[in-house]
Amino acid sequence: MTEDAGEIDLSKRDLREVAAFAAACAETVLHVFEADRPDDARPREAVVAAWEFARGGERGKALRDTASAALKAARSTGTVAAREAAWSAMSAAGSAYLHPLAKPTQVKHILGAGAYAARAAELVAGDDRAVGAESIERTVRRATPVVVDVLRRFPAAPGGGGRVGELIRVLDAGLRALTPGT
């Protein structure tokens, strides 16, 4: 933390690692959205934009616009699973805008894409929570040491948020429990 206890040190490298993590999470459920809305590329474009930022691109209006477009795509879905998949993509693009504020709500920028992806997977499997738990386990393994380090700079995930909030907290606890450097 910096001198101001309310602010977290975040480098551009930190933000790129978080965006790469979030994009990898969202990619796992793009097919769920695309099965529902095969002619709508907005969530895929949001994930591509997150990857572009992660690989050295700039944070700017285009990245924000893809997140907003994925959110709009979520509203046009025919299934809740497809909506959650679109929200995962929106979260991936939005992860580049993690704020350096020591607030629990910022954890959603880091873990939202993974939690929405887990929820989409659960719903595709008939609301099978074991499928969500397996998705969370894979997401924990996907996190790099940098992502875990960034997460640990923030307070624990907040309460509330329904099932996705619960998945965020499970993912948060799983990542914080990792041995540093793993």
Side-chain angles (χ1 to χ4, degrees), residues 1 8-19 21 95 98-103 106-107 109-111 144-155 172 175-176:
M1 287 195 159
I8 306 288
D9 285 324
L10 289 174
S11 69
K12 192 161 267 192
R13 176 179 178 248
D14 293 336
L15 295 172
R16 291 185 195 290
E17 288 273 344
V18 168
F21 170 71
S95 69
L98 173 64
H99 300 292
L101 304 173
K103 294 185 176 183
Q106 290 304 308
V107 171
H109 284 288
I110 303 167
L111 305 180
T144 66
V146 172
V147 169
V148 174
D149 176 61
V150 169
L151 177 66
R152 287 179 176 154
R153 295 178 207 168
F154 289 88
D172 184 44
L175 290 171
R176 289 177 194 272

Side-chain angles (χ1 to χ4, degrees), residues 112-180:
Y116 283 118
R119 183 63 180 144
E122 283 181 344
L123 291 167
V124 166
D127 206 8
D128 184 345
R129 291 189 175 209
V131 171
E134 290 169 10
S135 178
I136 292 296
E137 287 176 22
R138 284 190 301 276
T139 301
V140 167
R141 289 191 302 270
R142 182 177 294 119
T144 66
V146 172
V147 169
V148 174
D149 176 61
V150 169
L151 177 66
R152 287 179 176 154
R153 295 178 207 168
F154 289 88
R163 179 64 180 147
V164 171
E166 183 180 331
L167 290 165
I168 286 173
R169 288 185 294 281
V170 170
L171 182 53
D172 184 44
L175 290 171
R176 289 177 194 272
L178 294 175
T179 304

Side-chain angles (χ1 to χ4, degrees), residues 46-117:
V47 172
V48 167
W51 276 120
E52 287 174 359
F53 171 72
R55 293 177 177 137
E58 291 303 314
R59 266 188 338 179
K61 184 178 182 327
L63 182 58
R64 264 191 308 278
D65 288 349
T66 65
S68 178
L71 177 61
K72 290 175 185 167
R75 296 179 187 139
S76 70
T77 61
T79 69
V80 178
R83 181 192 69 201
E84 300 290 325
W87 281 348
S88 181
M90 179 267 307
S91 295
S95 69
Y97 294 95
L98 173 64
H99 300 292
L101 304 173
K103 294 185 176 183
T105 54
Q106 290 304 308
V107 171
K108 295 177 189 178
H109 284 288
I110 303 167
L111 305 180
Y116 283 118

